[in-house]
Amino acid sequence: MIAIGMLAFLLVSALLVWLLLFEQARDRVFGGLRRGGSALAAVCRRWLGRWSSRAEVAATRTRKQGGRVAGALHAHRGVLVIAVALLLVPALSILVLRRNVILEGFDAVQRPAVNPLVQELLRGERLTPPPPPPPEVFTTAEVEQVRPMTASADRKWERLDPEFTQKLLVVYKVMREQYGYEMVLVEGYRSPERQNRLAAQGADVTRARGGQSWHQYGLAADSAFLREGKLVISERDPWAMRGYQLYGQVAKQAGLTWGGDWRSIKDLMHVEQRRPGVMKR
């Protein structure tokens, strides 16, 4: 390769010296280049001329065809309007007749890495719900301020979907054994009437009305933490906030949707199991 490079360098150098020393050689070379350039320009002009003629013919033909199509559409405009209307009727019917449903969450979130303990528990023994804490745990002023109407919430595990119940109990078990958080069911099933009463308190409580929440189908639950015999709900407590983050992570590993991932109004206490064909539209 080095030898070839040296040879090429010598040839180029010899050519340059020849052009510099001999005026006749320069005239011949540059004259040849001019003639070649002129010939190339002539070829390009002929090619462009032919291309322009063909393009003009094609444009004329296209205009004629477009005129024929427009004439046909105008002549059969009644049939065309009817056909378009028939195509749009199904879509417009769905848009007009369907109910405007606002679910408590919309966001599809990516599940975290699989927790081996969660998977083992989901495949293993069936868990039983823990005993409920004393009723006064849910009636404190702090709880009522953060979560209105908590005292009257339904906390009967048997009213929840069995599959959802097992997943939620797995979450509770992992939270207790791996992270040291004792979790409590704050609300499970929720009637449509109660859902409407909560919705009437404003969007900061819930935007879903009766029939629009997974609570009405036993597929949602709100949970919080028990610390030294007291229910801790507010995420302003750093300990509780850390617990909610772990709770959401474990819940997603168990196949549940966590309200803390919602882009609108986040509900850190809430998890749900969305099931096709259950939510009434």
Side-chain angles (χ1 to χ4, degrees), residues 5 94 103 122 150 173:
I94 294 173
L103 303 180
L122 289 174
T150 295
K173 186 177 179 67

Side-chain angles (χ1 to χ4, degrees), residues 16 55 89 107 154 160 195 272 280:
L16 291 175
V89 163
D107 306 325
D154 191 314
L160 295 177
Q195 185 72 43
E272 62 191 27
K280 297 177 181 179

Side-chain angles (χ1 to χ4, degrees), residues 52-189:
S52 299
S53 301
R54 293 175 182 176
E56 186 176 354
V57 171
T60 303
R61 188 177 302 167
T62 302
R63 284 195 296 269
K64 290 181 180 179
Q65 292 175 350
R68 286 196 295 270
V69 171
L73 292 176
H74 181 75
H76 300 87
R77 58 186 180 278
V79 177
L80 181 63
V81 170
I82 294 174
V84 172
L86 290 176
L87 290 174
L88 292 179
V89 163
L92 292 175
S93 300
I94 294 173
L95 291 174
V96 172
L97 298 178
R98 74 178 180 90
R99 291 176 58 190
N100 185 22
V101 178
I102 301 178
L103 303 180
E104 287 190 298
F106 307 93
D107 306 325
V109 296
Q110 185 176 6
R111 294 179 185 173
V114 175
N115 186 322
L117 178 57
V118 172
Q119 297 303 310
E120 181 181 351
L121 290 171
L122 289 174
R123 291 193 300 264
E125 61 178 321
R126 295 189 66 80
L127 303 175
T128 56
E136 55 268 23
V137 168
F138 304 97
T139 59
T140 65
E142 179 185 357
V143 171
E144 185 64 22
Q145 181 181 3
V146 178
R147 199 78 172 186
M149 300 173 59
T150 295
S152 59
D154 191 314
R155 286 179 281 275
K156 297 182 178 66
W157 285 90
E158 61 269 20
R159 303 194 71 175
L160 295 177
D161 178 85
E163 180 186 353
F164 172 69
T165 296
Q166 285 302 305
K167 290 186 176 183
L168 188 59
L169 290 175
V170 165
V171 174
Y172 280 19
K173 186 177 179 67
V174 173
M175 288 294 296
R176 181 176 63 255
E177 294 183 356
Q178 282 199 346
Y179 304 113
Y181 282 87
E182 191 70 35
M183 301 207 68
V184 176
L185 179 64
V186 176
E187 182 167 13
Y189 171 78

Side-chain angles (χ1 to χ4, degrees), residues 11-41:
L11 290 175
V12 172
S13 300
L15 177 62
L16 291 175
V17 171
W18 180 59
L19 292 174
L20 289 173
L21 294 178
F22 299 98
E23 182 178 357
Q24 187 177 3
R26 289 198 303 272
D27 293 340
R28 289 182 180 179
V29 171
F30 292 133
L33 290 175
R34 283 194 296 270
R35 289 191 296 274
S38 300
L40 180 61

